[in-house]
Amino acid sequence: MPYSLYIHLPFCRKKCHYCGFNSITGGNDSIGAYAKAASCEIYMRSHGIFDGKPGSVYIGGGTPSLVPVEAIKIILEKNLPVSGIECSIEANPESVEDSWLKNILTLGINRISIGIQSLDDVLLNRLGRIHNASQARESVYKARHAGFNNISVDLIFGVPGQTMDMWTRTLRDVIDLKPDHISCYSLSIEEDSKYFEMIHNKKIQLPTSDDISDMYIFMYDFLEMNGLKNYEISNFARPGYECFHNISYWNFSPYLGIGLSAHSFDGTIRRWNESDIKRYIKTCFDSNDPVAGYEIPDQAEKTMEFIMLSLRTKNGLSMNRLNKTYPSKCAEFDIKITSLIASGFLEKRHGNIVRLTKNGIIIADEIITEVVSVFQ
Ligand code: SF4
């Protein structure tokens, strides 16, 4: 089974208010050393299931568009053949330069995911983003002009103070940009973020769960109507532009994570990397494994994760695969799933595939929790 490869580039200009990722501000001096360390890590870990060419590569962050092409080249070219596979990179509007885009294409990177988040200046400011709506539009035009034929944009909804009108306008404006793929996530409040503290001190208020559901339903219908088909709860694509890298995660395929705090899973062991950049670089330069921890999930945990990931997708959950993986729970699953089908939250396709209905998608977390409760 081919593995997918994730490379984390953690550098950002400023921390966004909602950010809970491992991103570093003011760390530009370390970029060169970090790239060399990441290249060493790829070399060290390219064996066993992670030997040879990956099925897809995703360079995420942080803000990869802050990283010079030469540094990305160090990571990709030394040990990694990327030709002929989906190779994505994330970018943020304020740092997307024409020359960077053109040069990044020459490395074999063929898909770009731009974190525009909103096309409303008030909300962008409220999110603590450092770009404005006009830079967001411009970044998509620039990527297209540079030669990217596969452009994704990220959006956030459920932002404090966001109204349905604001959300509708952003969606309409985004469609005018003609992206091939859109990822839309409802704002989640991470413990390490500035928002967490602001909510705790009652300085900001999130929209209600009903408002968030309304925003989701409007988005779902609107994007589908405009040719972007839903293929995972938060992801929409023009036919043929679904993200292969994400699909392989949801299919529970092995993945190798390179870089700071990156996670990997080889089908048996789940592990995560060092989160301190200085220690990460030194450990890799000393030819040591930058692992910070690992766990070996048991069959029940792996099955729960497989269910959770599969049910998020339009392809749904294969009951055949589930029953083979965990035969002792077959009867219990059947009862649970039959009852959720009767309630209109799940539907069956082709005899053995179960997936969320539109009503189920709106309360997906509750439905998935209900299905995996078989293990509790
Ligand atoms: S750009 Fe992304 S990674 Fe960087 S601070 Fe903002 S949310 Fe975090």
Side-chain angles (χ1 to χ4, degrees):
M1 192 187 302
Y3 69 97
S4 49
L5 174 67
Y6 174 78
I7 299 167
H8 189 62
L9 301 180
F11 309 98
C12 284
R13 281 203 185 133
K14 177 182 166 269
K15 198 88 176 162
C16 302
H17 296 342
Y18 59 94
C19 182
F21 300 113
N22 188 344
S23 65
I24 296 164
T25 52
N28 287 12
D29 293 351
S30 323
I31 290 179
Y34 183 84
K36 286 183 192 138
S39 167
C40 293
E41 192 192 354
I42 294 177
Y43 178 71
M44 275 188 277
R45 299 186 60 201
S46 298
H47 55 81
I49 200 159
F50 300 132
D51 194 13
K53 194 171 174 174
S56 62
V57 175
Y58 194 101
I59 305 170
T63 307
S65 45
L66 274 184
V67 175
V69 176
E70 296 68 40
I72 297 171
K73 193 171 176 180
I74 289 173
I75 304 174
L76 290 184
E77 277 201 340
K78 199 160 161 209
N79 308 304
L80 204 62
V82 296
S83 63
I85 58 170
E86 179 189 278
C87 188
S88 308
I89 193 160
E90 287 180 352
N92 280 338
E94 71 283 353
S95 50
V96 170
E97 304 288 347
D98 293 329
S99 57
W100 184 87
L101 288 163
K102 285 202 174 100
N103 291 330
I104 216 81
L105 277 163
T106 64
L107 300 185
I109 294 170
N110 47 29
R111 182 175 182 275
I112 189 163
S113 173
I114 308 179
I116 68 174
Q117 314 309 351
S118 173
L119 288 174
D120 184 307
D121 283 340
V122 171
L123 289 187
L124 284 168
N125 187 33
R126 202 166 288 162
L127 286 163
R129 300 291 303 198
I130 51 174
H131 69 269
N132 58 33
S134 115
Q135 285 171 306
R137 285 190 189 88
E138 194 64 17
S139 64
V140 178
Y141 297 140
K142 280 183 187 172
R144 195 66 84 191
H145 188 247
F148 274 95
N149 296 320
N150 193 346
I151 300 177
S152 178
V153 298
D154 283 356
L155 295 176
I156 297 183
F157 63 101
V159 179
Q162 186 179 29
T163 61
M164 192 65 178
D165 252 14
M166 287 167 150
W167 182 224
T168 308
R169 247 181 286 128
T170 280
L171 287 169
R172 292 210 169 106
D173 291 352
V174 160
I175 288 298
D176 289 344
L177 298 176
K178 300 188 172 43
D180 305 296
H181 183 283
I182 302 186
S183 297
C184 296
Y185 288 92
S186 137
L187 181 73
S188 69
I189 303 299
E190 307 297 331
E191 260 196 53
D192 292 339
S193 67
K194 190 169 176 186
Y195 264 177
F196 187 80
E197 192 191 309
M198 288 162 96
I199 286 179
H200 186 73
N201 296 330
K202 302 202 173 9
K203 288 198 176 141
I204 52 167
Q205 208 180 353
L206 292 170
T208 65
S209 55
D210 281 351
D211 290 341
I212 291 173
S213 293
D214 289 346
M215 286 183 195
Y216 182 87
I217 294 166
F218 177 81
M219 163 185 80
Y220 184 103
D221 292 338
F222 183 75
L223 295 183
E224 287 252 336
M225 208 172 67
N226 282 282
L228 288 134
K229 301 294 171 198
N230 177 258
Y231 71 105
E232 191 267 354
I233 294 177
S234 306
N235 286 279
F236 299 79
R238 291 203 291 120
Y241 287 83
E242 298 82 5
C243 177
F244 181 75
H245 184 83
N246 286 347
I247 291 173
S248 62
Y249 277 134
W250 302 323
N251 277 340
F252 212 56
S253 303
Y255 53 89
L256 171 62
I258 296 291
L260 213 57
S261 299
H263 284 233
S264 304
F265 181 58
D266 63 5
T268 307
I269 301 173
R270 185 173 293 126
R271 51 160 276 165
W272 50 93
N273 275 357
E274 175 61 64
S275 60
D276 178 272
I277 189 161
K278 284 197 178 129
R279 279 204 302 268
Y280 172 79
I281 293 171
K282 180 166 183 343
T283 309
C284 292
F285 281 178
D286 291 345
S287 299
N288 290 322
D289 187 339
V291 65
Y294 71 93
E295 61 189 13
I296 302 178
D298 62 21
Q299 195 55 35
E301 287 167 322
K302 283 200 277 187
T303 309
M304 278 200 274
E305 198 172 335
F306 166 65
I307 294 170
M308 288 191 247
L309 293 172
S310 303
L311 278 181
R312 290 186 62 89
T313 69
K314 208 62 171 191
N315 286 341
L317 169 68
S318 158
M319 292 304 287
N320 287 350
R321 190 167 161 192
L322 180 62
N323 291 338
K324 258 189 231 152
T325 327
Y326 219 94
S328 61
K329 294 278 183 187
C330 247
E332 276 178 79
F333 276 128
D334 264 351
I335 295 169
K336 187 70 74 186
I337 279 162
T338 306
S339 127
L340 288 166
I341 289 175
S343 314
F345 296 122
L346 291 179
E347 63 187 6
K348 227 175 198 174
R349 295 168 65 231
H350 313 306
N352 87 98
I353 303 289
V354 173
R355 68 179 189 188
L356 291 165
T357 59
K358 198 166 155 200
N359 283 343
I361 291 179
I362 294 158
I363 52 163
D365 289 346
E366 283 169 53
I367 302 300
I368 292 170
T369 307
E370 183 66 24
V371 176
V372 298
S373 69
V374 164
F375 288 97
Q376 273 124 35

